[in-house]
């Protein structure tokens, strides 16, 4: 039995390239999304996706089906818009892009509240690196995106800030020296470079301070991989506080002696800055900011 959720899921998987991320976007569990895709493929009698390591890639048929599904859902949205216009109800679509860490920590309560206040506005989420977010905003492909360290004068709705923290093996000599460490001393150690899919990371922070990481033993995108390598004694790392694991066994977390922060906020594309959906989101954030 095929329904709209199946087609939304197909598009989410095509866009995200990952069933886990796609499931989160459409409000399903990972196992539920996998079962739904399997049922759809069984109904159609042909595979829509192939699984390659951590990616889920559409087959030739999957791409054609996705194009038809996108057209079908687009027609449905236009019908819904006509209905809302006729009844005077608020509605629309809000396309939002962010890098993974903010999607998993900061945005969920924001989007829950937005959906409660504006249930007729559909939020379409897209996961991207911070550089890709800027590209999507510039092209008008998304309406709003989470940006890092916005330049002075740029119109951004603040979402918060995050402190950079040093993470070392528990027995490391710097871990025994106190509750803080110098950035210069940290980057002089064998290093596990974690990026989280962002261009702002330990290497760029070191460069901004006129330093260089002397010995990069491993470079990983996933924060949990970095913590595992640090536990094994491969090196030290520098990560945003929001990424720190609950289980810190085998790790020692230190502040930097001269703290460094990264700020993040929502920016609108030039094409969408005045749209009702964007205005509704920014108004909610501004109200929440004043209330806080």
């Amino acid at each position: 039995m095929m329904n709209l959720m199946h087609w939304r899921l197909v598009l989410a998987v095509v866009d995200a390239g990952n069933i886990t991320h796609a499931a989160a976007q459409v409000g399903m569990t990972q196992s539920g999304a996998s079962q739904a895709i399997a049922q759809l493929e069984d109904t159609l009698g042909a595979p829509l996706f192939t699984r390659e390591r951590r990616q889920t890639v559409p087959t030739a048929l999957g791409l054609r089906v996705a194009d038809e599904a996108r057209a079908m859902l687009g027609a449905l949205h236009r019908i819904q818009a006509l209905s809302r216009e006729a009844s005077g109800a608020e509605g629309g679509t809000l396309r939002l892009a962010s890098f993974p860490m903010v999607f998993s920590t900061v945005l969920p309560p924001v989007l829950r509240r937005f959906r409660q206040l504006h249930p007729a506005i559909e939020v379409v989420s897209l996961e991207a690196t911070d550089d890709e977010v800027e590209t999507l905003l510039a092209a008008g492909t998304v309406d709003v995106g989470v940006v890092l360290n916005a330049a002075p004068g740029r119109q951004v709705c603040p979402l918060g800030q995050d402190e950079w923290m040093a993470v070392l093996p528990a027995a490391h000599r710097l871990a025994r020296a106190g509750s803080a460490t110098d950035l210069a001393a940290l980057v002089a150690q064998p290093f596990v470079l974690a990026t989280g899919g962002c261009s702002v990371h330990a290497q760029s922070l070191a460069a901004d301070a006129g330093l260089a990481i002397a010995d990069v033993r491993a470079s990983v995108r996933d924060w949990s991989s970095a913590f595992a390598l640090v536990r094994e004694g491969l090196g030290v790392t520098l990560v945003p506080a929001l990424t720190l694991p609950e289980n810190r066994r085998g790790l020692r977390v230190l502040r930097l002696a001269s703290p460094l922060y990264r700020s993040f906020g929502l920016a609108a594309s030039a094409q969408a800055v005045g749209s009702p959906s964007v205005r509704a989101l920014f108004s909610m954030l501004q109200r929440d900011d004043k209330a806080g």
Side-chain angles (χ1 to χ4, degrees):
M1 182 74 178
M2 293 179 283
N3 56 43
L4 290 175
M5 182 59 76
H6 282 101
W7 304 123
R8 291 192 177 101
L9 177 60
V10 166
L11 294 184
V13 175
V14 169
D15 292 340
N18 181 288
I19 287 184
T20 301
H21 296 155
Q25 290 177 24
V26 299
M28 299 176 69
T29 64
Q30 189 274 337
S31 59
S34 295
Q35 290 175 9
I37 291 293
Q39 290 169 358
L40 184 57
E41 290 176 330
D42 186 57
T43 300
L44 295 175
L48 299 178
F49 298 96
T50 59
R51 283 70 176 176
E52 299 178 2
R53 294 186 180 180
R54 295 186 178 181
Q55 279 199 314
T56 303
V57 181
T59 61
L61 173 64
L63 287 173
R64 295 177 63 186
V65 168
D67 286 342
E68 296 295 337
R70 206 178 299 275
M72 177 179 63
L73 291 174
L76 175 61
H77 291 159
R78 289 190 293 274
I79 292 171
Q80 291 171 332
L82 289 171
S83 175
R84 287 192 296 267
E85 183 179 347
S87 63
E90 180 190 50
T93 300
L94 181 74
R95 300 166 299 169
L96 183 152
S98 174
F99 39 97
M101 187 273 293
V102 172
F103 258 142
S104 62
T105 58
V106 177
L107 283 177
V110 171
L111 295 181
R112 273 198 303 271
R113 176 161 168 73
F114 184 71
R115 289 187 176 108
Q116 288 170 354
L117 294 173
H118 305 281
I121 298 178
E122 180 183 8
V123 178
V124 178
S125 301
L126 177 65
E127 187 176 286
T129 68
D130 55 335
D131 285 340
E132 288 169 344
V133 170
E134 294 287 6
T135 300
L136 292 168
L137 285 171
T141 306
V142 296
D143 302 312
V144 292
V146 174
V147 298
L148 277 175
N149 303 334
R154 185 176 190 181
Q155 292 188 338
V156 170
C157 266
L159 289 173
Q161 69 174 15
D162 203 4
E163 183 174 357
W164 288 93
M165 308 294 288
V167 182
L168 309 92
H172 195 281
R173 64 178 183 81
L174 289 180
R176 301 193 299 268
S179 60
T181 184
D182 290 325
L183 180 61
L186 186 72
V187 300
Q189 307 302 310
F191 209 90
V192 176
L193 179 63
T195 67
C198 293
S199 61
V200 179
H201 47 66
Q203 204 160 46
S204 66
L205 293 171
D208 289 344
L211 303 168
I213 299 177
D215 181 9
V216 177
R217 296 291 177 89
S219 181
V220 296
R221 178 188 176 103
D222 186 63
W223 304 111
S224 60
S225 298
F227 300 136
L229 293 173
V230 172
R231 280 193 179 94
E232 293 174 7
L234 189 67
V236 303
T237 193
L238 185 68
V239 302
L242 283 174
T243 69
L244 291 171
E246 291 184 13
N247 178 9
R248 301 183 188 180
R249 181 177 298 176
L251 302 175
R252 179 70 190 281
V253 178
L254 302 178
R255 298 187 70 190
L256 294 177
S258 297
L260 294 174
Y261 299 90
R262 66 176 189 173
S263 62
F264 33 86
L266 278 173
S269 68
Q271 297 87 336
V273 68
S275 74
S277 297
V278 171
R279 288 202 307 267
L281 177 61
F282 281 15
S283 294
M284 183 197 79
L285 290 171
Q286 289 161 0
R287 288 195 304 270
D288 289 350
D289 185 53
K290 290 177 182 178

